[in-house]
Amino acid sequence: MTVEQIVSETKDQFPIGMRVLAVDDDPTCLLLLETLLRRCQYHVTTTSQAITALKMLRENKNKFDLVISDVHMPDMDGFKLLELVGLEMDLPVIMLSANGDTKLVMKGITHGACDYLLKPVRIEELKNIWQHVVRRKKFDRKVRSNSDSQDKPHADSGEAAGIGKADNNVKINKKRKDQNEDEDEDLDENGHDNDDPSAQKKPRVVWSVELHRKFVAAVNQLGIEKAVPKKILELMNVEKLTRENVASHLQKFRLYLKRISCVANQQANMAAAVGTADSSYLRMGSLNGLGNFHALSGTDQLHNAAFRSFPPSGVLGRLNTPAGLGIRGLPSPGTIQLGHVQNSGHSSNDQSKLQSFIPGNHNTNILQGMPMSLDLDQLQNNKGVSHIGELPAANSTAVFPVSGSLIDSRIAGFSNNPLLGVTSNSLMLEGSSQQANLHASNLRDGVSAVGFQNGNTLSNFASIDPVSSQLRDSKADLQGQAAPINCNAGPMIRSVPPQEWNAPRKDAPYQSHLMSSSVNSSIPVNGAMVQLDQCLDRNNSIFHRTMDSDSIGPLNFVDPLSIKHGEGLNSAAMEPPVIEKEGYLMYQLRPHGNHIPDNIGSLEDLASAMMK
Amino acid sequence: MERNPLRRQLQIMRKSLFDQGYLDEQFVQLEELQDDSNPNFVEEVVTLYYRDSARLILNIEQALERKPYNFHKLDAYMHQFKGSSSSIGAKKVKAESTLFREYCKSGNGEGCMRCFQQLKKEYATLRKKLEAYFQVARQAGPMETACRPK
């Protein structure tokens, strides 16, 4: 079948009627562009503001097929918009500029643009832009087909490296029968494909929070350097997820981590300030983060909303702070670290830490106390532990931020640990959201909340049952807010380009988006947990446990489990989850071969880095 | 050649604009986009351009009054102005914009100032010519097809 045939199956008239969103602050150019596009028989929507464009896109992901945007805009950098759209909505974006410098074009490519056009635009060029939509669709379809792709041997080690979408497109050589897209059943905003390939409108893998968590866990387990799509796919063990999906996602994730790593430094400082809450801290963070995640996953909107709400909460606020935001995608590196921290190194401590860790309550306090200790680099439990004690009282938010920071630092530490970045964010996010909700319930709840991140997940928290219920409630709150976080930290990371795409929101909003998009409305905690389990395995038994309880799966970073621990779950149950989380987190943070010594180590390092 | 005298006049004006380098190929693109459903497209775009770019010109002027020059800002404004100008096919104006940006990059304040004065002249000249052109166009009625300049 040719592309045209495939396309026509889904949309007879395509490319006629293709829905384009045009963004350009120059009214002359915008009018010209609009007219040209109309002449090509596309359906055009225009706006002169990037923020408005984002809003429109977020309202309904299925409303547009393609975005064309100018590079120089007053309210938001075109590249930032590009990244955000790519991460959140996974739509093809074409950049437009009067400046054709190679550097700029390269920048466009690295940020994920499918094409770069020079002004004044010619109609001949616009007549062909539909190819980008088709290419993506085709790819998605294939990618989503099923997991058979895993069997396909290919040199993916290199591909993930930076090929990104383009690569994926290229890989779509084989036409697989289209099957339902990835397993994110809950996330269905995009109208995932159904069984009938030809009926697929927009085959796109939606990286729900849970899925993302699995992804992060897998990457952590493999180590960021050795994480190749094929192995990740195997580890994730998700049906109908293809290697291309993973490869594309991995690429984004890596970009994200890189971005975060810059920010992480800032975080590190923050983390340092926080103090020792290293592992426990991380745990908390993670838990919180996770919690948020779930909340985030709820729905995009939810996420967004949740996300936004984050900032207000203590944690979020933290997150938004440079340290927190540093990670860009990572809501609170510190938080992530928490989770990790625990795993690394102090397994034994972890538990204790976790418990004490749950400081989360204090928004800032926690962070302060904790991050410092968290010191990712050293992440050695001690720090975290000490803090944890303090934290408990504090609002979870505090904890989270720290985590974030920790994570940030961590991230800084290993720039190449994309996961870290991600995790922290997730953690952070969760933390933030959770904090808002959790604080009251206390970390414990938070922890549990983390467990059930999406709100639903809490229930999953088997280990933390008692806590989880509490968390659940809090989680619910968080969800609204945090939701974004859970969503796949990965995407977040990406989206969280250092550029501060969303000035106002900073990471939070971004993350939320990420999360929301990735996280299906309810990420079954258990599911996530399970994954974590697999991944974390190494950390310790507890770790596993937490995994189970926490479906936080996708959220690598935020291991709700860890948070649980941190929270000072007084109950043993708490511990395990935490540990798991840590392990989970650890994965994320731990890039293979990176400084992250162990699951926890990485977190700790991250935390410490962040704190510093 | 058009039999209608107004149309003939219009064609002559148009040709001269191209021959003298005031307009380039992009203007033809604009004309091609004009059709029955969009009968005054070219004039609309040009009007919009002059309205919007007036703001940019003002910004640049004000920036040039503050010494020392903020070349970065000047370049940014001019970049935007250039984008607009190229969209309507204002050839000479675009050339001056490019030159201005070169001066900005090399930090040549005096060059910028001189260039800008020239740019404003070209900008004003083109405006007058286009206004006259559109006036005749309105009188002549819809053109049948856009003719490409030789």
Side-chain angles (χ1 to χ4, degrees), chain A residues 37 153 212 277 338 564 580 608:
Chain A
L37 289 169
H212 181 71
L338 292 176
K564 289 194 277 191
E580 291 190 339
S608 40

Side-chain angles (χ1 to χ4, degrees), chain A residues 25-29 31-32 35-36 39 70 72 74 97-99 101 104 119-124, chain B residues 26 29-30 32-35 38 41 44-45 48-49 52 79-80 82-84 86-88 94 101:
Chain A
D25 64 313
D26 184 328
T28 311
C29 299
L31 175 60
L32 177 61
T35 312
L36 283 168
R39 184 53 71 89
D70 185 30
H72 295 278
S97 176
N99 190 338
D101 273 358
L104 269 189
K119 285 185 188 174
V121 184
R122 292 192 340 267
I123 196 164
E124 294 83 10
Chain B
Q26 181 62 22
Q29 292 261 319
L30 292 186
E32 283 175 354
L33 285 176
Q34 184 160 297
D35 56 15
N38 211 345
F41 179 67
E44 271 172 27
V45 177
L48 182 58
Y49 163 72
D52 186 61
H79 173 263
Q80 214 176 335
K82 182 183 170 187
S84 285
S86 64
S87 293
I88 68 153
K94 181 179 170 186
R101 291 193 74 200

Side-chain angles (χ1 to χ4, degrees), chain A residues 244-264:
Chain A
E244 286 85 4
N245 290 135
V246 175
S248 159
H249 194 70
L250 178 64
Q251 196 207 18
K252 288 180 185 170
F253 189 66
R254 286 208 175 124
L255 281 174
Y256 175 72
L257 287 181
K258 212 185 290 191
R259 261 197 285 280
I260 299 177
S261 64
C262 307
V263 180

